[in-house]
Amino acid sequence: MIIDCHTHLASPMVLPPVFFDGWTDNIRRLLPPKLPRAHVDRIAQSFRLALEDPDGDQLIADMDAAGVDVAVLHIIDFELGFPGRVTPLDEVFAAHRRVLARHPGRVVVFAGVDPRRGKSGVELFERSIAEWGFKGLKLYPPCGFSPSDPALDPFYDLCAQHRVPVLTHTGPTTPRLSFRHTHPSELDDAARRFPTVDFVLGHGSVVHRDDAALLAEFRPNIYLDTAGFQVVDRQGEWSSSVAFFKRRGLLRKLLFGTDWPIHSQVATTAAARQRLAGPDTGGLTPMELQWILETNAREVLKIDAPSSAPANTTP
Amino acid sequence: MTDETKQQQVDKVMALLSTYAGRSLGDSPETRGLAFNEIGMSSLTMASAVVELEERLDRQFDFRAFAGVKNVGDLLRAIGLS
């Protein structure tokens, strides 16, 4: 079994145009001066969401091509970050419930709820876990809150009660949002106060790597995922990162994630998995590879091991 | 597409990549094996190079075709020149 612990539905309902507007603002500033306007526009266009897959069919096709069995779909609650510019959260939840029903056993959904919603947000989260079969909490601090904000305590109580994990975004994102609460250290208070809840630092093996690694090394309930490693790999730095995690003894804290569809123009899921499993990826043994692709995520997500057939970890 | 035209197009790709590399890149197995990070190209400069190739080759590419492209040979394959 291979689990991609970090994906999103490829739909403007989930990843809204205003999110990509910020990326393209930044790209325009990074390009050389005096490029023709049409050239700049075409480059900016290439960084927008190219795919529309609201039913998750293309996600499943890409998973099949890559040998990935289960993907975790993350809902991001953008409503308070981009007021009036995004699809209402209840519609986003409904879309994910449809995808969950359409692809049974292939997707897991993490509910994204901004803690500033208060009691109604807590109720929505509880209902998503208890009634709709969602399996975790997704936090997006760039919308303007810390993952250690006490307003999240009722959510974490529910996570403890239902034995479901939390995945929180770390690192920079669209410049239209704040980077203030995106450092891994923002999570430490919550992880200490809720020791029975497992927390995953989204992109933790890629951004603020050393600080994320330190937390994962010393805080038992903090894990890291690989989402976005495709970019680091294209820069030629992924092999040395894997070697770093191996030397630090952190391969049991690392979860395979692609951030699909965000980085699918840098590497398909199949290429990403192939790259992770490649012979020059920091010298991983088959057992270590299985930890990253399957075992660690299975433990965090509380997914039982398949009863038949050995895990598929062949590159 | 004749072989000559194909080679001319490959030469155009090499000429463009030479501007990013800051040195002349001839078409050779060594050059085709060069990773983009070895010639100092980021994801952004890669996207810029693809747009410039669209202009130089008078073609339009689907950017998804460049997923997994890591070296010069991969790029030539992605645009049908290898």
Side-chain angles (χ1 to χ4, degrees):
Chain A
M1 173 181 281
I2 294 178
I3 301 168
D4 183 342
C5 80
H6 193 147
T7 69
H8 305 278
L9 263 189
S11 163
M13 171 188 281
V14 179
L15 298 167
V18 65
F19 176 83
F20 293 99
D21 289 347
W23 289 111
T24 58
D25 293 344
N26 198 39
I27 284 163
R28 290 173 197 281
R29 297 294 187 105
L30 290 168
L31 286 167
K34 296 181 182 170
L35 277 179
R37 177 64 186 253
H39 186 118
V40 172
D41 288 347
R42 177 83 173 121
I43 295 168
Q45 183 193 350
S46 76
F47 283 82
R48 288 183 171 276
L49 186 62
L51 188 65
E52 287 220 21
D53 180 39
D55 297 327
D57 294 352
Q58 186 60 50
L59 168 68
I60 298 295
D62 279 17
M63 289 163 59
D64 287 342
V68 171
D69 300 285
V70 176
V72 182
L73 283 168
H74 292 270
I75 295 173
I76 301 176
D77 182 359
F78 279 125
E79 253 190 307
L80 297 175
F82 296 124
R85 310 267 322 255
V86 298
T87 305
L89 190 62
D90 56 347
E91 292 180 32
V92 179
F93 270 59
H96 283 80
R97 289 172 62 195
R98 286 193 294 273
V99 172
L100 196 55
R102 186 179 177 90
H103 303 290
R106 301 301 306 277
V107 296
V108 164
V109 179
F110 274 28
V113 185
D114 190 314
R116 292 168 295 180
R117 288 181 183 273
K119 189 166 176 255
S120 68
V122 176
E123 288 169 355
L124 176 65
F125 176 56
E126 181 165 31
R127 194 169 179 210
S128 75
I129 300 292
E131 290 184 31
W132 303 332
F134 291 10
K135 297 289 185 191
L137 178 65
K138 163 72 172 198
L139 297 176
Y140 207 70
C143 286
F145 60 88
S146 168
S148 288
D149 189 318
L152 279 161
D153 287 4
F155 293 86
Y156 296 151
D157 283 333
L158 286 171
C159 289
Q161 179 188 333
H162 291 276
R163 299 179 67 240
V164 298
V166 179
L167 189 145
T168 185
H169 172 92
T170 59
T173 177
T174 175
R176 297 283 174 101
L177 294 172
S178 169
F179 304 160
R180 182 177 169 201
H181 296 298
T182 64
H183 192 274
S185 63
E186 291 274 333
L187 179 64
D188 189 48
D189 279 354
R192 182 178 53 80
R193 287 189 285 113
F194 292 89
T196 63
V197 177
D198 288 335
F199 293 87
V200 181
L201 292 165
H203 316 285
S205 67
V206 176
V207 292
H208 302 300
R209 186 194 70 176
D210 290 14
D211 294 324
L214 200 65
L215 280 172
E217 186 173 355
F218 290 98
R219 189 66 75 192
N221 55 336
I222 290 186
Y223 293 76
L224 317 171
D225 81 22
T226 66
F229 84 96
Q230 304 94 315
V231 176
V232 177
D233 185 40
R234 182 176 270 181
Q235 292 163 349
E237 295 164 6
W238 179 244
S239 294
S240 62
S241 259
V242 171
F244 165 86
F245 286 111
K246 182 165 178 160
R247 282 195 307 275
R248 295 283 287 265
L250 286 173
L251 297 180
R252 285 281 285 129
K253 287 296 193 82
L254 206 53
L255 280 62
F256 172 60
T258 60
D259 208 11
W260 194 95
I262 302 282
H263 298 289
S264 55
Q265 289 176 15
V266 178
T268 61
T269 302
R273 187 203 148 194
Q274 181 80 21
R275 184 67 188 94
L276 196 70
D280 56 341
T281 304
L284 294 178
T285 67
M287 181 179 68
E288 290 166 340
L289 187 59
Q290 185 171 346
W291 293 345
I292 297 169
L293 292 173
E294 177 193 1
T295 314
N296 301 341
R298 217 166 22 74
E299 289 175 2
V300 169
L301 292 165
K302 316 290 187 294
I303 295 175
D304 291 335
S307 53
S308 61
N312 177 12
T313 54
T314 310
Chain B
M1 184 187 295
T2 66
D3 284 348
E4 186 181 20
T5 303
K6 197 171 182 177
Q7 188 56 50
Q8 284 173 339
Q9 295 199 358
V10 169
D11 290 342
K12 284 183 177 178
V13 174
M14 294 302 173
L16 174 64
L17 294 180
S18 296
T19 66
Y20 286 96
R23 59 191 163 97
S24 179
L25 298 174
D27 182 19
S28 68
E30 291 74 26
T31 299
R32 290 184 179 221
L34 275 177
F36 288 109
N37 64 293
E38 292 179 283
I39 51 179
M41 291 181 72
S42 66
S43 291
L44 184 55
T45 50
M46 177 76 187
S48 186
V50 169
V51 172
E52 201 157 340
L53 277 177
E54 288 183 328
E55 292 162 4
R56 292 190 184 197
L57 302 178
D58 195 24
R59 293 168 60 187
Q60 188 150 38
F61 301 120
D62 179 347
F63 278 85
R64 283 175 292 182
F66 299 94
V69 165
K70 290 191 67 184
N71 61 31
V72 175
D74 293 340
L75 175 65
L76 291 172
R77 270 188 293 280
I79 60 177
L81 292 178
S82 178

